[in-house]
Amino acid sequence: MRALARYSEANAIIRASLSSLLTRGQLDEILRAGAFSDSWNALKSTAYAAWLPEIAAPAPLPVERALKDATALRFKRAIRSLKGKAGEVGALLLSRWELDDLHDALRAWHAKDAAYTPPVSGVSLGTAVPFRDIARAETLEAVGALLSKTPYAKPVLETARIYRETRSLFHLEIALEKGHYRRLIAAIQDLGGHDAGHGLRLIAAEIDLVNLSWLSRCASYYEAPAALLREAMIPNVSALASTLEKTGFSAEEVAEVSLQYVSELAGDQGGKAPGLERIALLESFVIEAAVDAARRELAGFPFCIACVIAFYFLIRTELRNLRGIFAGRAAGFSPDELSGRLCGIR
C-alpha cells in the first residue's frame, strides 16, 4: 500500500504521457517537412505543441534550448508528487538536464567564447547554477566558488590542478559525470528491495551510453590511451561494463572487445563496422535494448521507481532523436541519412 501511495500520481501522469511519445511516422514527417522552419512547425503539430514556445524564426540554438526545456518540463511534471527517497531519485534524474547545460557553460569558459548565450530556462532543475558567470570566470577555482551551493563544486575544485597542467576539460567533465551517477546510484540503492534492483538495471543503460560516448571521444581526440579510457569509465552493473572492465583498455583491446560485443548482438553484420562506427552501432543496440526493457517495465507493476526511470529513459531517447534531427537539418544532412540514425522508436 505504501508503494501505491508513493507512486500513484506519477504512475497516472506517466501512463497518460506514453501515448504522446513520438512515433516513427511523426519523426519522419518532421524530417521530411521541407526547410528547417517547416520541421519545427511539424513538431509543433504533435503533442509537443503544449510544451514548445513560439519562435518567429526558428534557428538551431533556440530550437535546441526549446527541446531541452520541453522534455525537462514533461519529466518534471511526471515526478512532481514524488517525496522522500523516491523524490530524491526523481530530482537527480531531472538534474541530468542541468548537468548538460553546465558542460556547455564550462566549454564556453574553456574556449573563452564571447558568443556564449546562457540558457534562459523556464524549468527549475533544483539548483541555481549561474551559467553566465561561470562562462566569464577567470579561473576554475572561481567557477568552483560560483558552484559552492551545488554538488558540482567538489569535482570542479578537485580537478583544477590537473586542468592547469593539461589545459583539457577531460578530467573535469569525467569527474562531473561520475559524481552525478554516483549520487543517482546511491539514491536508487537507498530505496531498497524491488525498487533498487529494477531501478539499477534500468539506469545501467544510460551509464553504458555515457561510457560509449567517452570511448568515442577518447578514440577521436586522445588516440585512446589506456589510462584515459580507464578513468573515463563510470562503474556500472551492466554486461557491457563487465566486458570492458576485463580489458587493459588499450586502443586495440577496446576495438576487439567492441567488435566481439557487437558481433554477439548482431551476428556477422555487426563485426563489419570499423572503429567509431562500431561504437555508434553499440550505442544503437544499447538504446534499442533499453527501450524494450523500459516498455516491459511500464507494462508490469507500475508503482515503483523503475517506471519513473523507464519514462525518463524514453523521454531522454526522444530528446536525443529530436536533437539529432534538428542539428542534422542545420548541418545539411539528408532526411534519409538522419532517419537511419534514429533509435528507440516504437
Side-chain angles (χ1 to χ4, degrees), residues 20-49 52 63 67 74 318 321-330 333-336 338-339 342 345:
S20 66
L21 293 172
L22 299 177
T23 64
R24 176 167 284 279
Q26 288 174 311
L27 288 170
D28 277 338
E29 286 180 16
I30 294 165
L31 268 174
R32 303 177 192 282
F36 188 93
S37 58
D38 296 323
S39 289
W40 173 253
N41 290 330
L43 178 60
K44 292 268 291 180
S45 71
T46 70
Y48 270 87
L52 295 175
V63 164
L67 292 174
R74 292 176 73 188
E318 191 156 277
N321 283 327
L322 288 171
R323 292 170 80 175
I325 286 173
F326 285 99
R329 293 300 313 273
F333 288 96
S334 72
D336 287 338
L338 295 174
S339 181
L342 300 178
I345 308 162

Side-chain angles (χ1 to χ4, degrees), residues 6-25:
R6 179 184 292 174
Y7 295 110
S8 58
E9 182 179 328
N11 173 60
I13 295 172
I14 288 169
R15 299 287 158 180
S17 301
L18 290 178
S19 62
S20 66
L21 293 172
L22 299 177
T23 64
R24 176 167 284 279

Side-chain angles (χ1 to χ4, degrees), residues 10-342:
N11 173 60
I13 295 172
I14 288 169
R15 299 287 158 180
S17 301
L18 290 178
S19 62
S20 66
L21 293 172
L22 299 177
T23 64
R24 176 167 284 279
Q26 288 174 311
L27 288 170
D28 277 338
E29 286 180 16
I30 294 165
L31 268 174
R32 303 177 192 282
F36 188 93
S37 58
D38 296 323
S39 289
W40 173 253
N41 290 330
L43 178 60
K44 292 268 291 180
S45 71
T46 70
Y48 270 87
W51 306 97
L52 295 175
E54 292 297 330
I55 301 178
L61 286 179
V63 164
E64 166 82 5
R65 181 72 256 159
L67 292 174
K68 285 183 177 179
D69 282 357
T71 49
L73 277 167
R74 292 176 73 188
F75 183 68
K76 185 176 181 180
R77 176 173 172 264
I79 63 170
R80 66 189 181 190
S81 66
L82 296 181
K83 306 295 185 206
K85 293 179 179 179
E88 183 180 350
V89 174
L92 283 165
L93 291 169
L94 183 64
S95 71
R96 177 69 254 191
W97 279 266
E98 180 177 75
L99 183 55
D100 292 342
D101 287 336
L102 179 57
H103 281 311
D104 290 342
L106 287 168
R107 289 163 193 160
W109 169 82
H110 171 72
K112 307 302 179 190
D113 182 5
Y116 168 74
T117 303
V120 181
S121 176
V123 190
S124 173
L125 299 174
T127 56
V129 176
F131 296 109
R132 183 187 297 277
D133 293 340
I134 287 170
R136 295 178 176 178
E138 289 295 324
T139 65
L140 205 50
E141 286 82 1
V143 171
L146 290 167
L147 292 168
S148 61
K149 296 182 180 180
T150 76
Y152 310 122
K154 184 178 179 181
V156 168
L157 294 173
E158 286 181 343
T159 55
R161 179 188 59 80
I162 195 168
Y163 173 80
R164 286 194 298 272
E165 294 172 356
T166 63
R167 291 296 165 181
S168 168
L169 287 177
F170 176 89
H171 304 278
L172 170 55
E173 292 187 338
I174 283 296
L176 286 167
E177 294 285 340
K178 285 187 172 181
H180 171 74
Y181 287 106
R182 189 181 301 116
R183 292 189 296 275
L184 179 56
I185 288 170
I188 295 172
Q189 287 175 328
D190 202 30
L191 291 171
H194 173 93
D195 258 8
H198 284 244
L200 289 172
R201 283 196 292 273
L202 278 180
I203 205 62
E206 178 167 87
I207 298 174
D208 274 342
L209 290 173
V210 174
N211 283 338
L212 288 171
S213 74
W214 279 106
L215 284 179
S216 295
R217 289 176 65 177
C218 286
S220 299
Y221 304 114
Y222 303 104
E223 297 181 356
L228 285 180
L229 283 170
R230 186 166 293 283
E231 180 184 349
M233 294 299 98
I234 299 168
N236 200 11
V237 298
S238 71
L240 176 57
S242 177
T243 301
L244 287 171
E245 286 170 3
K246 293 174 183 176
T247 74
F249 277 90
S250 69
E252 295 77 13
E253 285 175 304
V254 169
E256 180 60 31
V257 166
S258 64
L259 173 61
Q260 177 185 348
Y261 197 82
V262 170
S263 298
E264 290 173 358
L265 291 172
D268 292 339
Q269 290 184 349
K272 295 179 181 178
L276 294 176
E277 290 181 29
R278 192 183 306 144
I279 295 174
L281 189 59
L282 260 176
E283 288 179 333
S284 69
F285 279 124
V286 169
I287 292 172
E288 296 295 344
V291 165
D292 285 343
R295 291 192 175 274
R296 284 196 304 273
E297 199 67 51
L298 288 165
F301 180 71
F303 302 104
C304 60
I305 201 64
C307 289
V308 175
I309 297 172
F311 183 62
Y312 162 85
F313 191 84
L314 295 178
I315 284 286
R316 291 288 296 185
T317 300
E318 191 156 277
L319 173 60
R320 180 190 182 102
N321 283 327
L322 288 171
R323 292 170 80 175
I325 286 173
F326 285 99
R329 293 300 313 273
F333 288 96
S334 72
D336 287 338
E337 288 178 290
L338 295 174
S339 181
R341 300 180 185 183
L342 300 178

